[in-house]
Amino acid sequence: MSVLIKPIITEKMTADSELFNRYGFYVDPSANKLQIKEAVEETYGVSVEKVRTMNYGPNRKSRYTKTGIQHGKTNALKKAIVDVAEGDIIDFYSNL
């Protein structure tokens, strides 16, 4: 299984990447910072200075239906914010 799941492309992360050279990724919840750093450097060919991670737990919901109470939850996920060295950029929109 891959460490990097997908990049986070939102208005806030785009502004961070333009101003501070920071990029966000959804990553495997069992991955540590060293594995994330190696995966980003290998995949995008940049040098990583710093990695910060955030763990998000699942959101639990319940519905009241004719058959009773239905319980459910979303998946737990982990985000990583990666600081890239000055001068390096990651282009998510290139058509290769």
Side-chain angles (χ1 to χ4, degrees), residues 7-28:
I8 301 172
I9 301 175
T10 60
E11 199 170 330
K12 187 175 184 178
M13 280 312 308
T14 305
D16 256 7
S17 66
E18 291 171 356
L19 297 175
F20 304 113
N21 251 6
R22 288 185 200 139
Y23 299 92
F25 296 93
Y26 289 113
V27 295
D28 181 35

Side-chain angles (χ1 to χ4, degrees), residues 24-76:
F25 296 93
Y26 289 113
V27 295
D28 181 35
S30 63
N32 61 28
K33 292 183 181 186
L34 294 175
Q35 292 171 333
I36 295 167
K37 179 180 178 177
E38 290 171 5
V40 170
E41 287 177 345
E42 180 183 323
T43 305
Y44 295 104
V46 296
S47 56
V48 174
E49 291 181 344
K50 190 177 188 180
V51 177
R52 289 170 291 183
T53 59
M54 297 170 270
N55 277 310
Y56 285 93
N59 293 328
R60 299 177 192 283
K61 295 181 180 179
S62 59
R63 286 187 305 230
Y64 299 98
T65 63
K66 286 191 288 188
T67 58
I69 300 173
Q70 301 292 319
H71 297 286
K73 67 179 182 67
T74 61
N75 292 333

